[in-house]
Amino acid sequence: MFKKKKGLILSLTVASSILLATGCSDSTSGTDSGKSKDNSLPAVGATIYKFDDNFMSYVRRAMETSAKDKVKLMLNDSQNDQAKQIEQVDTLIAKGAKSLAINLVDPKAAQTIVDKAKAKDLPVIFFNKEPDASVLKGYDKAYYVGTTSSESGVLQGELIAKAWEANKDKYDKNKDGKLQYVLLKGEPGHPDAEARTKFAVDTVKEKGIQVEELAMDTAMWDAMKATEKMDAWLAKYNDKIEFVIANNDGMALGAIASLEKAGYFSGDKFMPVVGVDAIPEALEMIENGKMVGSILNDAKNQGSATIDLAANAANGKDVLDGTEWKLDDNKAVRVPYIEVTKDNIQVGRDAYK
Ligand code: GAL
Ligand code: CA
């Protein structure tokens, strides 16, 4: 069993190092895409809150792919440090970025970045971590590319409710008719983490299912932290736990590693686990029955929309010029989430191709 856990962590590490290898991981100099023709291409200065985030490594790959021959992409790893990110923004501006694409470390830092961009009349496209609407409103050249956070929670709640209704005999271990769950939360204060936590549980309740929360805590989107949490919860609640709800797949995979150590997914011992993102590692788990399902967070489209808008902005064009993206009233492009189970696993596969 120990071996299995190691294998999972190893495969996650390998997956991220392969992705890391596709671009320069230097946190200060950035990645210069399309090197030979760089000088004729407009420069886009970009930051990702940390490269060492499973889902964001796929967004990053999509950005690098769509930047090719279109813009000179200067991409920085902010290493989960907001002060560092602000310094990177200063450097990117000094290096001649014509627009900025920013995945904030702390959503509350949006105004500071906007102030810097505004001073140089530079457009800024925030992505993945949504800033307050008032910040976007305050600067006509600020936009957001992401999702409607609540949608992932609602879809995950619907997925949980469907699975519960279809398998109540098996899932309701203590036969009290209630769903006893533990919930692994993403980063507190992150709009996705807050909305997923709230809307997943509210939606299950709205479907008329009684729930009882045994434990809820943040594992910061992280697989290893989730394994530790799940180890502790299994030690405390053991088979009282009937469902594991995770705000993202990274944490769902971490929980599965812990469950496997405790003998789950062999013989009769089963635990329903759900996540969000539908990253390839999670699709594998869905395929082999260790995950009930996930909600596709479309990394490819979010990455390419970010570059489309940033490239147009850098060329002084309307951000939507020549694209099919639409802006809502908050100047946001919102890519839809999709429920993914074994039945439509190809939807997930296609999105991460
Ligand atoms: C969420 C995603 C998480 C994590 C987070 C980082 O949208 O579901 O897995 O990547 O963004 O901000
Ligand atoms: Ca029960």
Side-chain angles (χ1 to χ4, degrees), residues 49 53-57 103-104 128-129 147 187 190 192-193 196 221 247-250 276-277 279 297 302 337:
Y49 92 104
D53 173 294
N54 219 313
F55 170 74
M56 290 312 297
S57 63
N103 171 219
L104 292 159
N128 171 262
K129 279 192 206 181
T147 61
E187 186 193 341
H190 189 307
D192 288 348
R196 287 175 194 170
W221 306 120
N247 276 177
N248 79 339
D249 287 344
V276 176
D277 287 340
I279 52 173
N297 194 7
Q302 289 175 66
Y337 285 104

Side-chain angles (χ1 to χ4, degrees), residues 164 172-180 242:
W164 176 262
D172 187 12
K173 290 185 198 136
N174 66 351
K175 307 285 170 217
D176 68 347
K178 278 191 207 163
L179 185 160
Q180 274 82 15
E242 296 177 343

Side-chain angles (χ1 to χ4, degrees), residues 22 38 75 116 129 166 200 204 208 238-239 266 272 276 289 292 294 316 350:
T22 63
D38 264 353
L75 185 56
K116 287 182 183 291
K129 279 192 206 181
V204 175
N238 197 7
D239 54 8
S266 70
V276 176
V292 167
S294 185
D350 291 345

Side-chain angles (χ1 to χ4, degrees), residues 33-291:
S33 302
K35 277 202 168 85
S36 53
K37 306 165 225 158
D38 264 353
N39 294 336
S40 56
L41 296 172
V44 170
T47 64
I48 285 188
Y49 92 104
K50 62 171 186 175
F51 279 5
D52 184 21
D53 173 294
N54 219 313
F55 170 74
M56 290 312 297
S57 63
Y58 291 102
V59 175
R60 179 181 156 206
R61 185 173 69 174
M63 287 172 72
E64 285 170 342
T65 308
S66 67
K68 271 216 173 84
D69 303 324
K70 204 191 249 172
V71 291
K72 174 185 170 187
L73 181 63
M74 300 186 285
L75 185 56
N76 284 188
D77 178 1
S78 302
Q79 295 172 4
N80 211 18
D81 180 340
Q82 188 57 64
K84 175 173 279 186
Q85 182 170 75
I86 292 182
E87 280 169 25
Q88 290 170 337
V89 168
D90 288 333
T91 308
L92 290 167
I93 295 175
K95 278 179 153 182
K98 294 282 176 280
S99 70
L100 298 170
I102 305 296
N103 171 219
L104 292 159
V105 175
D106 178 354
K108 295 207 168 54
Q111 189 60 54
T112 309
I113 309 251
V114 161
D115 291 344
K116 287 182 183 291
K118 210 172 181 176
K120 302 276 180 200
D121 199 32
L122 285 179
V124 45
I125 320 297
F126 292 103
F127 63 102
N128 171 262
K129 279 192 206 181
E130 184 164 5
D132 281 347
S134 60
V135 178
L136 293 185
K137 236 183 220 134
Y139 182 37
D140 61 343
K141 291 183 176 157
Y143 301 88
Y144 177 63
V145 172
T147 61
T148 303
S149 302
S150 58
E151 195 180 284
S152 50
V154 171
L155 288 174
Q156 195 188 44
E158 287 172 0
L159 172 65
I160 296 166
K162 264 188 277 173
W164 176 262
E165 291 300 351
N167 301 282
K168 218 188 273 172
D169 286 355
K170 190 164 135 206
Y171 290 1
D172 187 12
K173 290 185 198 136
N174 66 351
K175 307 285 170 217
D176 68 347
K178 278 191 207 163
L179 185 160
Q180 274 82 15
Y181 69 88
V182 294
L183 192 148
L184 289 158
K185 190 174 170 178
E187 186 193 341
H190 189 307
D192 288 348
E194 299 301 335
R196 287 175 194 170
T197 300
K198 178 181 172 3
F199 287 95
V201 176
D202 284 359
T203 304
V204 175
K205 289 194 214 155
E206 274 161 26
K207 301 274 167 196
I209 298 166
Q210 284 187 294
V211 299
E212 185 184 342
E213 182 179 287
L214 296 177
M216 175 197 352
D217 203 354
T218 179
M220 300 299 283
W221 306 120
D222 183 77
M224 302 265 240
K225 290 200 176 83
T227 303
E228 281 165 29
K229 280 275 158 263
M230 196 67 216
D231 285 349
W233 290 342
L234 281 171
K236 188 164 178 194
Y237 302 105
N238 197 7
D239 54 8
K240 287 201 180 74
I241 305 171
E242 296 177 343
F243 223 109
V244 178
I245 307 173
N247 276 177
N248 79 339
D249 287 344
M251 296 188 293
L253 294 166
I256 291 171
S258 165
L259 288 161
E260 282 182 327
K261 276 192 296 177
Y264 282 85
F265 310 114
S266 70
D268 271 359
K269 232 170 155 192
F270 180 76
M271 179 74 76
V273 179
V274 290
V276 176
D277 287 340
I279 52 173
E281 298 93 321
L283 296 177
E284 246 177 70
M285 293 294 162
I286 295 171
E287 188 97 277
N288 64 28
K290 290 180 190 171
M291 243 173 106

